[in-house]
Amino acid sequence: MRALRRFTVRAQLPEQLLPLGELVLNLRWSWHPETLDLFESVDPELWRSCKGDPVRLLGEVDHERLETLAADRRFIRRLHDAAEDLQEYLTAPRWYQALPDAPRAIAYFSPEFGITEVLPQYSGGLGILAGDHLKTASDLGVPIVGVGLLYRAGYFVQSLSRDGWQQERYPGIDPHGLPLTQLIDASGAPVKIAIGLPEGRTLHAQIWKAQVGRVPLLLLDSDVEDNQPAERGVTDRLYGGGTDHRLLQEMLLGIGGVRALRAYSAVSGAPTPEVFHTNEGHAGFLGLERIRELTETGLSFDEALEAARAGTLFTTHTPVPAGIDRFPRDLVARHFGGDNAWPGVPVDRVLDLGAESDPNMFNMAHMGLRLAQRSNGVSRLHGIVSREMFSGLWPGFDPAEVAIGSVTNGVHAATWVSRSVIELADRELGPSPLEDGGEGFAKIAQVSDDAVWSMRRELRERLVTEVRRRLRTSWLQRGAAPSELDWIDGVFDPAILTIGFARRVPSYKRLTLMLRDRERLTRLLRHPQRPIQMVIAGKAHPADDGGKQLVQQIVQFADSSEVRHRIVFLPDYDIGMARFLYSGADVWLNNPLRPLEACGTSGMKAALNGCLNLSIRDGWWDEMFDGQNGWAIPTADGVEDPDRRDDLESVALYELLENTVTARFYDVAGAGAPPRQWTSMVKHTLSTLGPQVLATRMVREYVERYYLPAAASARVAAADGLLGARELAGWKARIRQAWPAVRVVNVDSAGLGDTPQVGQSLVVRATVELGGLDLGDVEVQASYGRIDEADRLLDSATVGLAHTGAGEGGGLRFEGTIPLRRTGAFGYTVRVLPRHPQLASPAELGLVANPD
């Protein structure tokens, strides 16, 4: 018989061990080695069988063992030390507390959070990035409050059929068996929020809290008795269900998330957020909820929109249009209009926020951008791609001027750096690599080659052991008998160059590029002097049969008796597996179709363990590759035929592996000696990339470049009873109404002879008609720089033109000076832009007047 419901019973801790419960419920343990060691010492064998899950450990540990520990003075001393260390971590001032006028609270919304494998609420890079963001915010003292959903089945558990086809399983999750607490009010009743739905239905959700160091993470759960069966299943699976289901999930995340924040502040006394960070379009409806709140105070929709936008940041994570959530327009209209309409929030205005080129679709990314005064991509290259991708929202502006910046992602060192690397660095005097901005990584440059090579060998040996263990488990799940699996004991060799490749399996990541020439790959794997071995992992989306076919192709190739000792596919890629892969691989392979990788942080985590990257120059690698920290796979940019492009780039990959990478790895002076050039690259990677790829750098950039300015804008908008928002909305309405009459009537120049030369200056004059606007409403600029054959400005600069009086025949006269600092084809133009101190970008309104 199968149980109808499942739940977890936790141990009753003796009084002396009560701090254990506090340690378990703060997820700082997931990146704090000393606390993990303490948990392991409770019962080492049980700890291993629980796969490092401290909640499960306390649920299964024998009561007699707890009584023994309660009487163990050495254990109690360690327990109290750990508890005191946690309290100091939670209360001591940190980097953020020294900043003036910083926001008291920042809300961070994401559909998934990858904190630890014990809390399976993530599918891939977006969730891991969100988890690292929260952990790093905690380390820096940034007062973030995370907001997400609690999925009762999480993301799927992956296994393989006998023929290598991906299979999915969704094990049920009991929140009481997770390191969570339920949000309750003063009477002890669970706090719940509700969202109205069409046809008089209501979606209810309770709120769970995960404590991530100093950062609370609120997770909404619709599996409550108040709901009808359909609504009860809204938070069943991450990225599961059809279009209607996804829309309800995103309404719960955005609208319900704001309501959960309000409830949390009311119950806990925590300050209400001044800044709202929308991590991808899934949470975009949070802006609508904030507008609704503001209209209830008497603001018009436009005034509320300005007040909400001022404190909002939108981060886009995909350069792939197919990766953006889009809903049928009539479906959105049904959920925000008719019998479910909000007073003060007209449904047509809601639909306008998500408008795109297809009039029948509602675009969540477009809504996110329109509801945020500030926005960014997640690497420099992704910022460029995003400005191109969304340039239609800012008509009249070159893509380079589109109001989307970039903050390159980073990774949380304490989560991803192996202890072996930290111990290696700490042989030298100076700060630990985990302190401050990671400057301690520079010490590794002083460590001997022998020590570096020994560390890398140790990590590779651990990976080999883990590969064999997981491979055996996978084959048993596929139906093999134990007697068939003796060959697994010979899989992989700790002395062989090991390549890691693990990520989600959308087509643009090209999981099977390595299989373009299977015979050549086989020769590389089985080379008599310079062999390689490859460990591969990744999940295809359950609805993506094309991705599952790619997985099957890899699995079937790896199943061949000819190569199965040199290449493996490990199912169920998660945080636990990732730690072994990132630390144990010598080379991290990444071959996306450029420029479709937004950032790609797996290579960063590998680099922090001394693994060298072998990657297409996409995402973060495009800006951080320096020629000595790995290898760049040449790309066939401009080749339109995708098959030919894959052929060209796979050949480049094979040639790098065969002629450069393996040659350097096996270039040793004698048996047992380290490869000097290789270890030099490892030390260079650790000492130079370490500080660059850390999430401390990333979160500091978010704070300084986005959170602080957004908070300042929000305060201006809210001042004097939201007078700032009212005035800005009125000003924008006036500008939009008058703008069709704004014209650049005439442009002329002076100051150059027949042969312009570098060092000279050009005086530019323009006559402009303002259409009834005031001088203070606009900025007149000259844009100048080199030009192409079509007279388009490239890498242009701008200079403001000053008002000099009335022009002939009407209009106003403006004048400025352009310096000639370069040779070659040169050009300039004049334009008029709206100007207001509350604008975050001159392009914010999407209005520009150019010469007729």
Side-chain angles (χ1 to χ4, degrees), residues 14 16-17 41-42 61-76:
Q16 299 91 325
L17 301 184
S41 68
V42 169
V61 66
D62 186 87
H63 183 71
E64 290 183 4
R65 175 59 179 165
L66 293 177
E67 293 291 346
T68 299
L69 290 173
D72 185 336
R73 287 187 296 177
R74 184 169 178 271
F75 181 85
I76 296 301

Side-chain angles (χ1 to χ4, degrees), residues 151-216:
Y151 305 97
R152 286 302 183 103
Y155 205 51
F156 67 90
V157 173
Q158 180 194 45
S159 60
L160 301 172
S161 68
R162 188 71 190 222
D163 65 354
W165 189 255
Q166 173 180 293
Q167 297 177 320
E168 300 94 28
R169 180 169 55 88
Y170 290 89
I173 292 173
D174 171 22
H176 297 282
L178 298 174
L180 302 172
T181 55
Q182 193 167 18
L183 191 65
I184 57 175
D185 61 21
S187 69
V191 175
K192 297 177 183 176
I193 60 95
I195 300 172
L197 298 177
E199 301 167 356
R201 294 176 295 131
T202 302
L203 172 60
H204 300 270
Q206 58 190 344
I207 305 165
W208 299 87
K209 179 171 74 74
Q211 193 64 40
V212 186
R214 300 163 73 114
V215 171

Side-chain angles (χ1 to χ4, degrees), residues 137-454:
S138 174
D139 292 342
L140 294 174
V142 182
I144 278 179
V145 182
V147 181
L149 302 180
L150 181 68
Y151 305 97
R152 286 302 183 103
Y155 205 51
F156 67 90
V157 173
Q158 180 194 45
S159 60
L160 301 172
S161 68
R162 188 71 190 222
D163 65 354
W165 189 255
Q166 173 180 293
Q167 297 177 320
E168 300 94 28
R169 180 169 55 88
Y170 290 89
I173 292 173
D174 171 22
H176 297 282
L178 298 174
L180 302 172
T181 55
Q182 193 167 18
L183 191 65
I184 57 175
D185 61 21
S187 69
V191 175
K192 297 177 183 176
I193 60 95
I195 300 172
L197 298 177
E199 301 167 356
R201 294 176 295 131
T202 302
L203 172 60
H204 300 270
Q206 58 190 344
I207 305 165
W208 299 87
K209 179 171 74 74
Q211 193 64 40
V212 186
R214 300 163 73 114
V215 171
L217 169 58
L218 308 180
L219 299 171
L220 283 81
D221 172 19
S222 69
D223 189 12
V224 294
E225 293 181 357
D226 311 67
N227 283 327
Q228 295 299 312
E231 286 73 42
R232 192 163 186 163
V234 165
T235 55
D236 54 357
R237 298 176 180 179
L238 175 58
Y239 302 141
T243 301
D244 292 36
H245 190 75
R246 287 288 294 276
L247 178 62
L248 291 179
Q249 284 190 337
E250 298 190 7
M251 289 177 66
L252 181 58
L253 175 59
I255 300 167
V258 174
R259 296 179 185 180
L261 282 169
R262 306 310 186 207
Y264 175 67
S265 293
V267 168
S268 68
T272 57
E274 296 180 72
V275 174
F276 288 75
H277 187 169
T278 310
N279 196 34
E280 249 316 333
H282 311 284
F285 290 125
L286 74 88
L288 291 182
E289 170 63 8
R290 294 181 63 217
I291 289 171
R292 182 198 64 78
E293 290 179 328
L294 289 161
T295 59
E296 291 187 349
T297 69
L299 266 62
S300 69
F301 181 91
D302 287 320
E303 293 166 344
L305 172 62
E306 296 306 330
R309 288 184 74 250
T312 302
L313 167 65
F314 176 77
T315 297
T316 175
H317 285 265
T318 177
V320 184
I324 295 173
D325 274 348
R326 300 161 72 235
F327 296 106
R329 185 179 170 94
D330 60 354
L331 179 65
V332 176
R334 189 161 66 250
H335 282 79
F336 288 92
D339 66 346
N340 201 45
W342 291 342
V345 185
V347 67
D348 61 319
R349 299 300 304 275
V350 173
L351 296 174
D352 287 345
L353 290 169
E356 60 149 81
S357 57
D358 185 340
N360 297 314
M361 298 303 294
F362 184 94
N363 189 302
M364 293 295 289
H366 287 198
M367 180 180 69
L369 290 165
R370 290 181 174 121
L371 285 172
Q373 192 175 38
R374 292 165 177 84
S375 56
N376 72 285
V378 291
S379 69
R380 289 180 192 168
L381 180 59
H382 182 229
I384 294 170
V385 172
S386 296
R387 289 189 285 275
E388 290 271 3
M389 182 175 173
F390 296 111
S391 60
L393 299 184
W394 288 269
F397 289 87
D398 292 338
E401 298 176 301
V402 163
I404 300 176
S406 68
V407 173
T408 302
N409 284 345
V411 298
H412 185 244
T415 295
W416 301 110
V417 180
S418 70
R419 294 194 196 186
S420 298
V421 173
I422 303 303
E423 291 167 359
L424 183 74
D426 286 344
R427 296 184 184 186
E428 304 293 327
L429 294 175
S432 168
L434 301 185
E435 295 176 8
D436 300 323
E439 289 78 7
F441 279 101
K443 300 187 300 181
I444 295 177
Q446 310 304 318
V447 177
S448 71
D449 288 353
D450 288 336
V452 170
W453 188 241
S454 175

Side-chain angles (χ1 to χ4, degrees), residues 299 303 306-311 373 710-728 838:
L299 266 62
E303 293 166 344
E306 296 306 330
R309 288 184 74 250
Q373 192 175 38
S713 294
R715 290 166 184 170
V716 170
D720 299 323
L722 294 162
L723 180 62
R726 296 176 193 270
E727 290 184 343
L728 181 59
Q838 287 179 251

Side-chain angles (χ1 to χ4, degrees), residues 630-647:
W631 297 271
I633 302 170
T635 56
D637 292 344
V639 175
E640 298 294 334
D641 182 351
D643 285 333
R644 175 160 172 72
R645 180 167 181 170
D646 284 356
D647 285 338

Side-chain angles (χ1 to χ4, degrees), residues 20-34:
L20 263 181
E22 298 172 10
L23 290 172
V24 164
L25 287 176
N26 192 307
L27 290 169
R28 187 211 185 197
W29 58 255
S30 67
W31 71 89
H32 192 246
E34 291 81 2

